[in-house]
Amino acid sequence: MIVTLDINNRPYEVNVRPDEYLLETLRNLRFFSVRKGCDTTSCGVCTILVDDNPIASCSYFTVKAEGHKVTTVEGIKEESEKIVDLLQKEGSDQCGYCSPGFTLTLYSMKQKLEKPTDDEIRNYLVSNLCRCSGYEGQQTAIKNYLEVK
Amino acid sequence: MQCIGKDHPKVDGKGLMTGKLGYTDDLADPSSLIIKVLRSPHAFAKITEINLNGADEIPGVECIITHKDFKRIAVTRAGQGYPEPSPHDKFVLDNVVRHVGDEVLAVAAINEQLCLKALDIIDVTYEVMEPVLDFEKAIGHQSIIHSEEECHEMFPIGFEPSKNIAASYSMNVGDVDEDFKKCDVVVEHSYYTQAQAHAMMEPHTANAHIDFQGRLHINTSTQTPFHVRRIVATALDYPMSKIRVIKPRVGGGFGGKQCVHGELILAAIALKTEKPCKIVFTREEVFESTFSRHPMRIDVKLGAMKDGTMKAFDVNILSDTGAYGEHALTVFMVAGSKVLPMYNKVDSVRFTGDIVYTNHTPGGAYRGYGAIQGNFAVESCIDLLCEKLEFDPVKFRQKNMIGLGETSPIFEIMGEGTEGTAMFMESCKLDYCVERGLELMKWNEKYPRVANGRKVRGVGMAIAMQGSGIPHIDMASAVLKFNDDGFFNLLIGATEIGQGSDTVLSQIAAEALSVPLDKIIVYSSDTDLTPFDTGAYASSTSYVSGNAVKNAGDKMKELLIKEAANTFGVDISEISYEGLLIKTKDGSQEITLADLGNRLIYNEDQKQLIADGSFVGQKSPPPFMAGFAEVEVDTLTGKIELIDYVAVVDCGTTLNPHLALGQVEGGLVQGIGMAMYEEVIINSKGAQVTNNFMNYRIPTRKEITNMQVEFADTYEESGPYGAKSVGEIGIDTPPAAIANAVYNAVGVRIDTLPITSEKVLTEILKSKKL
């Protein structure tokens, strides 16, 4: 079936199956930042934003996205590069696979929470798993991005 | 040093984090056939009949392969050097399935839906056999897991499949039994370590096509591209020269991608269909059908004198390698060879054990590689010994542990599957690591416990060592190519898997050539275009591959000096080499590196400068560390919380301190996961209960709230610019340090990992009854 999607503020007309998830659709459209991690909404790797809310694209039907605003890391270039620079400054990037999902969740947190505490940060990002870094450097980078102490 | 010791950001970091094309699945041809594997629902069964029911005639289904399509060639998927110390006990597909998730057959179709439709209508009839699900009952079990005549060992490893023994080993220094009789105190205890899943974020994936020369191209998320090429060629009886393996960017490995997984079936289907095809594992397949850490029972016996002198050391291990024997012997040996030498002043040591087959998901390489299992048992038992001796456990370690300039007979006796290599500790600041860790933890204020009502905090510690590559076996090489405009291509077989090796190895090349990092353009892990490297395992990349790059860099510098001397018409002794600028010592002539490049490519004395470097370790200098845990135990509920973890690491020079820190912190968190949260749980039918991230819990950012990591200032003469390894050492101490901290808090010893609140509460309640 044909659906019209708004991805990163551009219209896309795509032919999808009714049971197709956004993860597959976005990868077919060559948005390589959207990556498969677990298939069960539990690792955060495939996170994208739908109407500025973090969503696991592995479990979100593409047809449901019609009429909504879909954002991937490619759509927030300036902000994502800022986050990347801060992560790199702490040396807290390793394999990079989970980073786009993490970046979008962090970006969304910045819109939603004002001056979050350490615990609020950890709670907001708890579903974005990282197996490489140990989280410590990420936490510092996050706080630098949010300009909180 | 201008480039070493600097926090250069990962050269591939920004691209990967912002979604540039890079990982294996990004590179798959969009028209690839999709491959799906039918996997065994049984732990142990014989396939008696496969009825396709017309699945192969569904339009869009291109190919179905079963065991009947293959010659019976037994291989090991281990991804080790050749000949492997793992038994050759695996076929691409077999008529026997040996664990839940083992491969039965594979389907390739133009899309996933058709694959699943085909899998759905295929009927497989099994003759279900009694599985071996308790590794302590594997030897002598009525079910023999490997009775195929083609299975074999490559050299003697104690392979006795008729007894379900994949490998066995024993070594002995002195007479432990006699020495125990002389000891004032002897303790003996058994410890159990669990299967742990790697849980790298990128699932295993590979894709392939046949090129215009009829060659098989494989892109695969692997730690060992050169071993993949060899194993695919052997298993499919296909010429190695007709295979090219490329490792794109990898989303984490930790040992889980050292072995060959989807590549064999992928290659067979690519050769059969001659169409681009790809396989992407589901998370369930990653859990059930790849590898996890070998579970072990470790029996430790220690003897010491009242003055705190350790005399005798006896360790016996039973290790569960699961359905196939990948890394069976070597993981087991590392549980001894990277633990026993820490206490090098004993009079006698014995290390024995068997590695048995069961019908579990196979064990395989996993960061720590036996050392974490051995460390948990031995470092827990040292605290137990000290309690009986009434001797301070930190002082006991300080008195008995290995130090600078010292050695241990174990180094020479035990290698990885073979004999080892004698060596002295030319760099070792373990003593500093312990002292500094005590300060950072404020140990004296906290040891053994601080009670606050029903919540009690305790501190515990452990020491650890690892290695830096496998001496005389692990070989790495590098090629540097000098270009017009004065920059270099660095071609390396070494395998970047997220740890930052492309960056660190570029830094080594830049240092050797005295040029900024942006003059080094790195390309790694392509069996056609880059020189050989064993791969990213055994903590070898910084030390082994690093030395190879340094050798190539030194050689290239000599070539540049020679060409500059030629340009100036002077002897090479007259040259002052400064990297971007090369001058005569008297300052009368100079040429920029860019101009020299342009001259050699376009103008005069034209030639392509290429320098190569290889390295094979003559020893494996160990990195050391001391780990300190502070835990809080709720005595009413048993709930344990990790309050702080301190790690002080001696890894020689930190080539890139930020990346080294990331390696230690990441290792610590995986070690903390093994200590407190993670466990592969298998039900009574042999199926994994924990085959997804809902049930298999890895630490999240809520569990890890405080870690302090520091490095000792050391220099290893044999390493590139003084470096040893840092990839694995961080994982080793948490299980023992946390177990010891729990004991110091509430007086119960947990000897079976993971240390859960449930176990702690049970032990607290038991101790109250006594």
Side-chain angles (χ1 to χ4, degrees):
Chain A
M1 55 197 293
I2 305 286
V3 292
T4 307
L5 300 175
D6 169 358
I7 306 168
N8 301 332
N9 294 321
R10 287 194 58 82
Y12 289 82
E13 204 167 76
V14 284
N15 191 359
V16 300
R17 300 184 317 277
D19 65 349
E20 185 168 316
Y21 292 118
L22 260 179
L23 171 63
E24 185 182 342
T25 310
L26 291 169
R27 283 197 66 81
N28 285 342
L29 289 169
R30 318 301 272 170
F31 289 101
F32 292 118
S33 73
V34 189
R35 296 164 187 158
K36 170 189 149 100
C38 73
D39 329 296
T40 52
T41 333
S42 37
C43 73
V45 166
C46 68
T47 303
I48 55 158
L49 302 180
V50 175
D51 296 336
D52 299 326
N53 293 308
I55 296 290
S57 64
C58 73
S59 317
Y60 194 94
F61 288 122
T62 303
V63 289
K64 235 177 106 183
E66 206 166 26
H68 297 277
K69 184 179 136 196
V70 174
T71 309
T72 71
V73 149
E74 288 87 344
I76 55 159
K77 193 165 186 294
E78 213 170 286
E79 284 298 299
S80 75
E81 288 191 357
K82 205 163 137 188
I83 293 169
V84 163
D85 286 342
L86 290 166
L87 286 168
Q88 288 217 300
K89 195 163 163 267
E90 300 306 318
S92 58
D93 60 316
Q94 286 192 38
C95 81
Y97 198 75
C98 70
S99 302
F102 163 88
T103 298
L104 288 165
T105 312
L106 174 56
Y107 174 72
S108 134
M109 173 166 53
K110 192 170 188 176
Q111 326 297 316
K112 293 181 196 309
L113 302 183
E114 205 172 313
K115 303 264 175 222
T117 62
D118 261 303
D119 280 351
E120 285 171 329
I121 291 170
R122 291 180 200 281
N123 276 331
Y124 201 94
L125 283 159
V126 70
S127 303
N128 291 90
L129 299 177
C130 170
R131 189 59 156 170
C132 295
S133 75
Y135 302 115
E136 282 279 288
Q138 280 189 7
Q139 188 73 3
T140 311
I142 293 164
K143 286 156 83 173
N144 289 338
Y145 174 66
L146 300 172
E147 295 172 353
V148 295
K149 285 188 180 167
Chain B
M1 285 192 273
Q2 50 99 22
C3 207
I4 294 300
K6 304 287 188 294
D7 291 325
H8 285 290
K10 279 185 80 229
V11 294
D12 52 354
K14 186 169 258 179
L16 295 180
M17 290 195 282
T18 55
K20 301 296 177 291
L21 178 145
Y23 298 95
T24 299
D25 194 47
D26 301 348
L27 300 174
D29 187 296
S31 68
S32 293
L33 297 177
I34 305 297
I35 297 172
K36 284 279 163 194
V37 177
L38 183 68
R39 297 190 178 276
S40 171
H42 303 294
F44 192 30
K46 194 167 189 318
I47 299 167
T48 52
E49 198 188 337
I50 296 173
N51 188 344
L52 297 182
N53 292 326
D56 53 340
E57 285 160 18
I58 298 174
V61 171
E62 293 262 344
C63 163
I64 296 176
I65 54 169
T66 72
H67 63 89
K68 291 176 188 154
D69 294 298
F70 293 91
K71 291 183 198 166
R72 287 188 64 80
I73 300 171
V75 296
T76 174
R77 299 169 296 178
Q80 297 168 298
Y82 184 85
E84 301 96 336
S86 297
H88 283 215
D89 57 8
K90 181 75 176 81
F91 304 90
V92 181
L93 291 172
D94 195 3
N95 62 348
V96 175
V97 284
R98 297 181 178 82
H99 65 96
V100 173
D102 207 354
E103 301 105 337
V104 176
L105 54 82
V107 175
I110 55 170
N111 62 42
E112 187 174 334
Q113 291 67 42
L114 287 171
C115 277
L116 297 176
K117 189 176 169 190
L119 291 182
D120 203 39
I121 63 171
I122 294 171
D123 277 328
V124 180
T125 311
Y126 299 94
E127 179 192 323
V128 177
M129 298 186 278
E130 172 77 25
V132 181
L133 296 175
D134 179 348
F135 79 109
E136 293 184 279
K137 292 179 183 157
I139 297 175
H141 197 284
Q142 62 181 29
S143 292
I144 308 299
I145 295 170
H146 285 281
S147 51
E148 323 83 84
E149 59 186 30
E150 299 88 349
C151 290
H152 60 280
E153 57 192 341
M154 300 299 281
F155 51 86
I157 57 168
F159 179 59
E160 287 183 88
S162 62
K163 295 182 183 167
N164 286 329
I165 295 175
S168 58
Y169 179 80
S170 73
M171 63 74 74
N172 200 27
V173 179
D175 188 337
V176 278
D177 294 324
E178 275 306 308
D179 286 339
F180 279 129
K181 290 179 195 162
K182 297 177 203 157
C183 289
D184 293 332
V185 171
V186 174
V187 295
E188 213 174 340
H189 200 82
S190 294
Y191 298 86
Y192 287 84
T193 63
Q194 79 279 38
Q196 182 185 22
H198 303 79
M200 69 294 277
M201 289 295 113
E202 180 204 31
H204 297 68
T205 179
N207 49 73
H209 70 275
I210 308 295
D211 78 2
F212 44 81
Q213 291 184 40
R215 296 176 75 233
L216 171 65
H217 281 232
I218 301 174
N219 294 314
T220 176
S221 181
T222 182
Q223 295 174 227
T224 56
F226 289 90
H227 295 333
V228 169
R229 181 178 66 176
R230 190 190 76 238
I231 296 165
V232 168
T234 308
L236 300 183
D237 192 20
Y238 189 73
M240 202 150 89
S241 60
K242 293 184 79 173
I243 303 173
R244 177 181 183 182
V245 177
I246 294 175
K247 174 220 63 83
R249 297 295 101 181
V250 173
F254 319 117
K257 292 174 181 169
Q258 177 173 349
C259 310
V260 172
H261 290 287
E263 294 94 333
L264 299 177
I265 284 172
L266 171 84
I269 288 176
L271 289 170
K272 194 164 177 182
T273 63
E274 298 193 331
K275 289 188 173 173
C277 49
K278 72 171 192 176
I279 183 165
V280 183
F281 279 43
T282 63
R283 185 54 65 178
E284 186 178 316
E285 287 178 307
V286 175
F287 276 109
E288 290 184 347
S289 305
T290 67
F291 293 147
S292 48
R293 192 187 293 290
H294 291 83
M296 292 182 183
R297 187 196 70 221
I298 306 167
D299 310 320
V300 185
K301 189 173 177 184
L302 300 175
M305 307 308 288
K306 281 236 162 80
D307 68 354
T309 309
M310 194 163 150
K311 298 289 280 182
F313 202 162
D314 189 8
V315 177
N316 176 268
I317 295 180
L318 185 71
S319 173
D320 174 5
T321 191
Y324 300 99
E326 286 98 352
H327 298 265
L329 177 64
T330 41
V331 164
F332 157 88
M333 284 185 78
V334 168
S337 64
K338 304 284 191 274
V339 179
L340 305 172
M342 291 198 299
Y343 297 99
N344 63 331
K345 296 172 185 71
V346 292
D347 295 336
S348 52
V349 189
R350 184 165 56 199
F351 182 75
T352 54
D354 296 303
I355 305 94
V356 296
Y357 286 117
T358 63
N359 293 106
H360 295 151
T361 292
Y366 188 167
R367 194 182 210 170
Y369 202 81
I372 183 171
Q373 291 101 313
N375 194 283
F376 167 63
V378 168
E379 286 293 279
S380 294
C381 201
I382 291 279
D383 266 35
L384 180 66
L385 174 70
C386 290
E387 183 197 342
K388 298 278 184 300
L389 271 177
E390 295 178 355
F391 204 95
D392 180 88
V394 177
K395 291 201 173 71
F396 182 87
R397 287 180 174 86
Q398 288 170 321
K399 186 177 165 74
N400 290 286
M401 71 195 188
I402 195 165
L404 186 67
E406 295 178 4
T407 186
S408 159
I410 310 288
F411 293 129
E412 189 171 359
I413 296 169
M414 294 178 72
E416 289 194 28
T418 54
E419 285 179 1
T421 306
M423 61 177 169
F424 286 85
M425 299 302 97
E426 286 167 61
S427 62
C428 175
K429 282 201 177 168
L430 184 54
D431 49 352
Y432 168 84
C433 295
V434 172
E435 282 297 336
R436 181 64 185 146
L438 292 171
E439 281 170 30
L440 288 171
M441 182 47 89
K442 299 190 172 70
W443 181 269
N444 291 338
E445 296 167 28
K446 296 175 179 174
Y447 178 79
R449 77 187 64 83
V450 177
N452 180 12
R454 72 183 219 207
K455 291 194 175 178
V456 185
R457 289 189 177 187
V459 287
M461 63 91 66
I463 55 172
M465 61 173 280
Q466 199 80 33
S468 299
I470 310 169
H472 304 293
I473 291 178
D474 284 351
M475 193 276 276
S477 53
V479 167
L480 273 163
K481 180 164 77 76
F482 181 53
N483 299 305
D484 45 333
D485 208 32
F487 69 99
F488 303 88
N489 292 106
L490 172 63
L491 308 175
I492 42 176
T495 314
E496 164 75 56
I497 55 169
Q499 83 281 49
S501 64
D502 276 358
T503 306
V504 167
L505 296 174
S506 297
Q507 284 179 259
I508 290 173
E511 187 69 41
L513 291 162
S514 307
V515 296
L517 191 61
D518 63 4
K519 295 288 174 201
I520 306 292
I521 307 301
V522 65
Y523 180 70
S524 53
S525 312
D526 176 336
T527 58
D528 269 9
L529 300 184
T530 63
F532 183 84
D533 192 294
T534 39
Y537 60 88
S539 282
S540 59
T541 304
S542 287
Y543 183 77
V544 181
S545 310
N547 267 318
V549 171
K550 184 170 183 303
N551 290 343
D554 291 344
K555 250 195 226 177
M556 176 55 82
K557 186 174 161 183
E558 280 175 30
L559 293 178
L560 292 167
I561 289 172
K562 197 175 143 205
E563 290 304 327
N566 195 28
T567 306
F568 301 147
V570 301
D571 187 76
I572 55 167
S573 62
E574 295 300 312
I575 297 295
S576 165
Y577 177 90
E578 296 173 6
L580 295 179
L581 191 67
I582 308 177
K583 300 192 287 198
T584 53
K585 282 182 180 161
D586 63 8
S588 62
Q589 298 187 75
E590 63 177 41
I591 188 167
T592 64
L593 198 60
D595 285 345
L596 182 62
N598 293 334
R599 182 179 191 272
L600 290 172
I601 297 292
Y602 298 115
N603 306 129
E604 286 179 73
D605 302 323
Q606 280 109 313
K607 60 176 74 81
Q608 175 66 64
L609 293 192
I610 289 182
D612 67 321
S614 297
F615 183 80
V616 60
Q618 302 304 306
K619 60 175 191 169
S620 177
F624 295 96
M625 79 164 268
F628 298 78
E630 181 180 11
V631 301
E632 182 173 273
V633 185
D634 185 329
T635 51
L636 191 68
T637 64
K639 188 185 173 198
I640 44 172
E641 213 176 315
L642 184 65
I643 303 299
D644 192 10
Y645 205 94
V646 168
V648 185
V649 179
D650 163 8
C651 63
T653 302
T654 47
L655 298 167
N656 182 321
H658 263 158
L659 296 184
L661 179 68
Q663 285 302 300
V664 176
E665 286 182 349
L668 285 177
V669 173
Q670 286 180 11
I672 291 165
M674 174 147 164
M676 299 173 69
Y677 306 107
E678 300 177 35
E679 184 174 20
V680 174
I681 297 171
I682 294 170
N683 70 16
S684 60
K685 303 245 187 264
Q688 277 189 26
V689 177
T690 48
N691 59 9
N692 58 59
F693 280 133
M694 305 272 192
N695 296 340
Y696 188 87
R697 276 200 65 208
I698 66 170
T700 72
R701 64 190 75 234
K702 283 177 83 168
E703 280 82 35
I704 307 300
T705 53
N706 208 10
M707 288 192 293
Q708 304 179 65
V709 177
E710 281 193 7
F711 294 95
D713 183 13
T714 59
Y715 192 93
E716 168 61 37
E717 227 17 87
S718 69
Y721 302 106
K724 297 188 277 189
S725 81
V726 70
E728 294 184 272
I729 183 72
I731 203 170
D732 292 335
T733 59
I738 291 170
N740 291 337
V742 167
Y743 175 79
N744 289 334
V746 291
V748 298
R749 292 200 188 276
I750 307 299
D751 52 22
T752 303
L753 293 178
I755 305 163
T756 59
S757 301
E758 188 184 359
K759 287 179 194 164
V760 173
L761 182 63
T762 305
E763 290 304 313
I764 288 174
L765 293 175
K766 269 198 229 164
S767 69
K768 279 182 180 163
K769 274 187 192 163
L770 289 172

